[in-house]
Amino acid sequence: MPVPATPTTETLTGIVERITFHSSESGYTVARLKLPKTDNLTTIIGNFANIQPGQTLQITGFWRDHPQYGPQLQVTHYTETKPASLTGIEKYLGSGLIKGVGPVTAKRIVNHFGLETLDIIENNVERLTEIKGIGKKRIEQIAYAWEQQKAIKEVMMFLQGHGVSTVYATKIYKQYGTGAIATVTERPYQLAEDIYGIGFLTADKIAENVGIPLESKFRYKAGILHTLTEATSDGHCFLPESELVEKAKTLLTKDEHEAEAASILAVITQMQADKDLMKDGADGEVALYKPSIFHTEQNLAQLLHQRLIQTVEADIPRVRNWIQRFTQSRQIQLSQQQQLAVETSAYSQMMILTGGPGCGKTFTTATIVELWKAMGKSILLAAPTGRAAQRLGEVTKLPAQTLHRLLEFDPKTMDFLRDEDNPLKCDALIIDESSMLDIFLAYSLVKALPENCQLLVVGDADQLPSVGPGNILKDLISSGKIPVVKLTQVFRQAAQSAIVTAAHQINQGKLPQFEPISNSPKSDCLWHGGGTQPEHGVQTICDLVEHFIPSIGLTPTKDLQVLCPMSRGLLGTRNLNKVLQELINPPTPEKTEVVRGATIFRVGDRVIQQTNDYKREVFNGDLGIINSIDTTEQEVVVNFGERSITYDYPDLNEIALAWSISIHKSQGSEYPVVILPLYMQHYLMLNRNLFYTGITRAKKLVIVVGSKKAISIAVRNEGQQRYTRLQSLFVELRSICPSMLPSR
């Protein structure tokens, strides 16, 4: 059957001949359907809550052409009808659909009752005693199993009848079982919280279909909570009341309904009374929180305060003598700032080491580790990402791990095993790339620290803050309550790098000095104008990948990473991934591939994990390479460094192509070569932190592609301030811990 160039919807009715693959968790199914008046079988793919051979299905979908298996019908909607023929009824009953009825029993039942078989089971099941060998107990089993199948069918028909796609209908049924109808009818907005992929807008549409009034308080409450959830996605811990009301009003207003601020405020007041919202009136504004973030921020400030009350005894003259002997034996020299950092680490319960590229944070951290070792301390090292942890381990020559592994995340409880009741076992702990810490991870870390454990927090406060809520590193530095050593002196070797120079210029709000790209570049920081339009930028990036990168002896597959300010648009990650995939990893007969939605995954593709998958122990931002695709078992194997992770087809929404990734996703990583497009198309995202972070991801070479106007805007724009109160909470707490910088 030829597949049309433009997919068109088609409806077919047929009998399920066999199931090639079915995931009991996601419902993803590959099956073979027998259509009337033909001996050929049609392949159908889609999500089915329950599917068995012999079922008669009316399906709606569109044709797709699989490169290996040919035409397939992608099912978007289906309903089950009763089998019309004796053969169909027999296959249906004997498929295992009904516990207690196998192929032999099914044949005997159909031989006895003929076309009335299903009506007998439905309405007069006791008549099965007419079949020899079927007793009362077995009839009860058959009746129960039949009712269960009816319940599944009713749920699926109900959901699809209310505009829920088969994909989400299957997920809803798997989540709630026979209680799905009650949940969707009574608490439709619960779907957005419980099911990955269903957001407020989808839940709102379902709610409208089941008759929830647009002005209902139930809907307003869901909209307010969704607005706060979206704010946390932007890094905020709370929203000012006026901003929350305005954003919720925009969300809840539809053509036929104008949401009123007074109604929203009334619901907010009730939510505060019910403890569904928390209110903080400090700093002259009413701040509204989700309860989990409110309590986490408050508790973190209190824990930090308690830690700083404690003191650490240290013999500073002895420490200085050790530093002198150590530097002489290694033939190294510390700057005054670095020496101050090492001395401060000796007696500080908690300390922050910060600074830009080329200022020696790594070298200083390694020296502090040597000092702590000489003092007989047991030391643990960690970072938010696997790559950052690996680099930390390499420079300190001690094992380092991700924070999730350090704190021993348990997928069963979805919580960390290490906490105040089961603290870490160490005298000192170093956390690198701390700008990536959000409020929840920071709290989990601090509450797992032993009472007398020293904590060294290392990070660059000028990089992008965490993806999650909070601005931990910057808030702690700004509090003035924690000893901070900021390294500012750029060392001679680092100063020879134009990347380092450009990064510091960006931080100072100055236009960085880039060398225009040429066939014989003398700098490691290059610029290409890339034309005036986004399509010109796409072509420029392709030319650089195809010609320039190989011409300087580097390999796009191993050495290059394209970083983008955003995902949408021609110069966003989504489009660039498609373009770069065809350029860097084009299809060949030897490369197996699988199509999921609008994405083709192909053996050899670079991919990125998009969510924290605690069962597989692979986390948001981890990069890997597709090693193999098994189209029979419906599995994709991705190599993440030394570990291989297997994904079932339904789980492929957890990964995305990573020939191009967002600058946010690149945090904690370094790449030999970075191409960074900056165009006016990215206007909403252009800011100093983002530009600085993108530039500093490159180890050997960075190429900025884009207009000078976009670069200028990025340098001038200091970015959106996050709504957090950790700094002020910390300052408000009475501190008896004096400033502990050593006298010199």
Side-chain angles (χ1 to χ4, degrees):
M1 184 180 297
V3 176
T6 303
T8 56
T9 300
E10 186 170 348
T11 300
L12 303 173
T13 300
I15 298 172
V16 179
E17 184 71 20
R18 64 175 180 268
I19 310 296
T20 304
F21 173 83
H22 176 73
S23 167
S24 59
E25 283 199 18
S26 67
Y28 179 78
T29 302
V30 181
R32 300 282 277 166
L33 194 73
K34 189 177 186 307
L35 302 176
K37 300 177 183 179
T38 179
D39 293 330
N40 296 328
L41 299 180
T42 297
T43 301
I44 61 172
I45 55 175
N47 291 73
F48 296 80
N50 186 57
I51 186 170
Q52 299 289 340
Q55 283 179 302
T56 299
L57 300 178
Q58 184 181 77
I59 58 176
T60 300
F62 57 89
W63 290 101
R64 299 172 64 170
D65 199 353
H66 191 282
Q68 187 171 353
Y69 298 110
Q72 299 177 336
L73 190 72
Q74 174 74 55
V75 178
T76 57
H77 185 87
Y78 73 91
T79 56
E80 182 186 353
T81 61
K82 292 180 180 178
S85 67
L86 292 176
T87 303
I89 294 172
E90 185 180 322
K91 184 182 281 286
Y92 181 59
L93 284 181
S95 65
L97 178 77
I98 301 173
K99 189 176 181 180
V101 178
V104 175
T105 304
K107 188 176 185 66
R108 288 163 50 205
I109 294 174
V110 173
N111 284 342
H112 185 79
F113 293 114
L115 292 174
E116 295 181 55
T117 297
L118 299 182
D119 287 330
I120 294 293
I121 296 174
E122 174 83 32
N123 302 308
N124 201 1
V125 71
E126 295 82 5
R127 285 192 60 190
L128 292 181
T129 55
E130 299 173 19
I131 309 298
K132 187 177 180 180
I134 298 182
K136 186 175 181 181
K137 186 173 182 180
R138 201 169 180 193
I139 287 175
E140 289 176 357
Q141 282 183 326
I142 293 170
Y144 176 77
W146 184 260
E147 286 302 313
Q148 287 292 102
Q149 295 305 314
K150 278 176 60 182
I152 294 173
K153 190 192 304 184
E154 287 171 5
V155 169
M156 295 302 291
M157 290 180 66
F158 172 84
L159 294 174
Q160 293 186 46
H162 286 86
V164 182
S165 71
T166 56
V167 174
Y168 290 135
T170 303
K171 288 185 176 182
I172 291 169
Y173 179 77
K174 296 298 179 186
Q175 177 76 23
Y176 305 115
T178 54
I181 292 177
T183 300
V184 171
T185 304
E186 300 167 13
R187 295 176 289 117
Y189 296 101
Q190 188 69 34
L191 305 180
E193 295 185 29
D194 293 344
I195 299 174
Y196 180 72
I198 294 184
F200 175 82
L201 296 179
T202 301
D204 197 35
K205 184 177 179 182
I206 294 171
E208 188 175 358
N209 285 336
V210 298
I212 302 294
L214 294 176
E215 67 278 6
S216 75
K217 293 180 180 179
F218 184 57
R219 177 174 180 262
Y220 274 39
K221 177 182 175 180
I224 290 165
L225 289 175
H226 173 76
T227 302
L228 281 175
T229 299
E230 287 293 291
T232 64
S233 299
D234 292 330
H236 302 302
C237 289
F238 66 86
L239 282 180
E241 184 179 67
S242 58
E243 189 170 332
L244 174 59
V245 170
E246 190 59 35
K247 287 179 180 292
K249 180 179 178 182
T250 301
L251 176 71
L252 294 166
T253 293
K254 290 194 171 185
D255 291 340
E256 63 274 35
H257 173 71
E258 175 76 27
E260 296 182 356
S263 301
I264 294 171
L265 280 168
V267 174
I268 286 174
T269 300
Q270 185 59 51
M271 290 174 71
Q272 292 175 41
D274 296 338
K275 303 300 182 184
D276 292 324
L277 276 186
M278 303 303 291
K279 175 182 176 181
D280 191 331
D283 298 336
E285 63 180 359
V286 176
L288 293 171
Y289 288 79
K290 294 182 78 170
S292 60
I293 297 181
F294 176 82
H295 293 301
T296 300
E297 193 177 56
Q298 296 272 337
N299 291 340
L300 176 58
Q302 186 64 46
L303 283 178
L304 290 170
H305 168 65
Q306 291 170 359
R307 294 201 69 78
L308 289 179
I309 291 175
Q310 303 170 38
T311 58
V312 178
E313 296 296 328
D315 185 337
I316 295 302
R318 187 176 179 185
V319 169
R320 288 173 177 165
N321 287 335
W322 178 90
I323 293 173
Q324 185 177 11
R325 294 195 308 272
F326 177 78
T327 54
Q328 287 176 350
S329 65
R330 300 294 176 92
Q331 295 184 333
I332 56 177
Q333 186 174 354
L334 298 176
S335 69
Q336 283 192 347
Q337 292 173 337
Q338 289 176 317
Q339 171 125 356
L340 175 62
V342 177
E343 290 178 12
T344 307
S345 72
Y347 57 82
S348 296
Q349 186 71 20
M350 181 177 178
M351 169 191 161
I352 296 173
L353 176 63
T354 188
C359 294
K361 285 197 309 296
T362 300
F363 180 69
T364 306
T365 302
T367 306
I368 290 172
V369 167
E370 293 299 322
L371 171 63
W372 280 351
K373 284 164 63 176
M375 296 173 76
K377 297 181 183 295
S378 61
I379 306 166
L380 289 177
L381 309 172
T385 68
R387 290 195 174 198
Q390 182 180 355
R391 286 202 315 274
L392 180 61
E394 289 169 354
V395 299
T396 59
K397 297 179 175 57
L398 287 178
Q401 54 194 322
T402 64
L403 278 166
H404 283 84
R405 291 199 178 198
L406 175 79
L407 299 174
E408 297 178 26
F409 187 86
D410 182 7
K412 294 179 181 177
T413 62
M414 295 300 287
D415 206 351
F416 294 108
L417 295 178
R418 294 291 182 178
D419 55 19
E420 61 269 38
D421 298 321
N422 182 30
L424 297 165
K425 295 179 180 178
C426 61
D427 301 316
L429 174 65
I430 297 177
I431 301 299
D432 200 7
E433 296 289 353
S434 58
S435 61
M436 299 177 66
L437 289 176
D438 65 21
I439 194 82
F440 296 115
L441 195 52
Y443 176 59
S444 297
L445 169 68
V446 174
K447 74 176 181 178
L449 291 176
E451 184 176 349
N452 295 314
C453 175
Q454 290 180 262
L455 176 62
L456 173 61
V457 177
V458 183
D460 185 346
D462 293 315
Q463 285 192 25
L464 285 169
S466 60
V467 174
N471 202 355
I472 302 298
L473 181 59
K474 192 165 283 189
D475 282 350
L476 293 182
I477 292 173
S478 301
S479 73
K481 295 293 183 179
I482 298 173
V484 176
V485 177
K486 183 173 183 179
L487 305 179
T488 57
Q489 179 183 336
V490 179
F491 288 91
R492 185 180 303 171
Q493 185 176 355
Q496 295 173 357
S497 167
I499 295 175
V500 172
T501 302
H504 286 278
Q505 289 171 335
I506 292 167
N507 259 347
Q508 295 163 12
K510 300 176 182 177
L511 280 175
Q513 300 302 307
F514 295 135
E515 177 186 319
I517 197 163
S518 65
N519 292 331
S520 303
K522 296 180 177 59
S523 172
D524 59 2
C525 196
L526 306 177
W527 170 71
H528 192 304
T532 58
Q533 299 301 319
E535 52 265 30
H536 300 150
V538 174
Q539 185 58 53
T540 297
I541 292 171
C542 289
D543 290 341
L544 291 171
V545 171
E546 193 170 12
H547 303 295
F548 181 77
I549 300 299
S551 75
I552 58 174
L554 298 172
T555 308
T557 51
K558 296 180 180 179
D559 300 320
L560 173 67
Q561 184 62 63
V562 178
L563 302 180
C564 293
M566 57 201 301
S567 60
R568 296 186 299 275
L570 284 177
L571 284 166
T573 58
R574 293 173 190 166
N575 182 61
L576 283 178
N577 267 315
K578 293 178 183 178
V579 173
L580 293 171
Q581 182 190 46
E582 292 304 299
L583 194 64
I584 300 173
N585 189 36
T588 67
E590 299 80 29
K591 293 177 187 173
T592 312
E593 58 185 42
V594 57
V595 181
R596 294 299 289 167
T599 302
I600 298 173
F601 290 107
R602 185 176 296 140
V603 170
D605 274 335
R606 186 188 301 159
V607 294
I608 187 169
Q609 178 74 14
Q610 299 194 98
T611 61
N612 287 332
D613 189 328
Y614 299 105
K615 292 181 180 179
R616 294 187 177 94
E617 290 192 354
V618 57
F619 301 105
N620 191 353
D622 286 352
L623 290 178
I625 301 292
I626 295 180
N627 192 47
S628 65
I629 298 175
D630 189 327
T631 54
T632 302
E633 296 295 327
Q634 311 281 300
E635 292 178 343
V636 175
V637 177
V638 179
N639 186 288
F640 290 95
E642 298 177 355
R643 300 175 62 238
S644 291
I645 304 296
T646 300
Y647 296 82
D648 294 330
Y649 277 12
D651 297 328
L652 290 179
N653 63 343
E654 289 190 15
I655 61 175
L657 292 176
W659 301 113
S660 172
I661 64 173
S662 70
I663 297 174
H664 276 89
K665 293 281 188 182
S666 74
Q667 287 176 269
S669 298
E670 288 182 340
Y671 316 96
V673 182
V674 165
I675 294 178
L676 177 61
L678 291 180
Y679 276 74
M680 294 305 295
Q681 182 187 75
H682 306 128
Y683 180 79
L684 293 176
M685 297 295 293
L686 295 178
N687 64 67
R688 191 179 299 171
N689 284 359
L690 182 127
F691 191 14
Y692 173 81
T693 303
I695 288 282
T696 55
R697 297 310 89 203
K699 290 196 292 185
K700 294 181 179 178
L701 176 67
V702 63
I703 307 172
V704 177
V705 177
S707 68
K708 289 185 177 180
K709 182 177 181 181
I711 293 172
S712 176
I713 290 173
V715 170
R716 292 198 310 268
N717 183 9
E718 295 187 30
Q720 182 186 38
Q721 297 300 308
R722 293 189 168 193
Y723 293 124
T724 70
R725 286 210 64 236
L726 180 63
Q727 175 190 339
S728 54
L729 284 170
F730 197 30
V731 170
E732 287 166 12
L733 291 168
R734 184 176 65 87
S735 175
I736 60 172
C737 177
S739 175
M740 297 183 300
L741 293 180
S743 58
R744 298 195 58 83

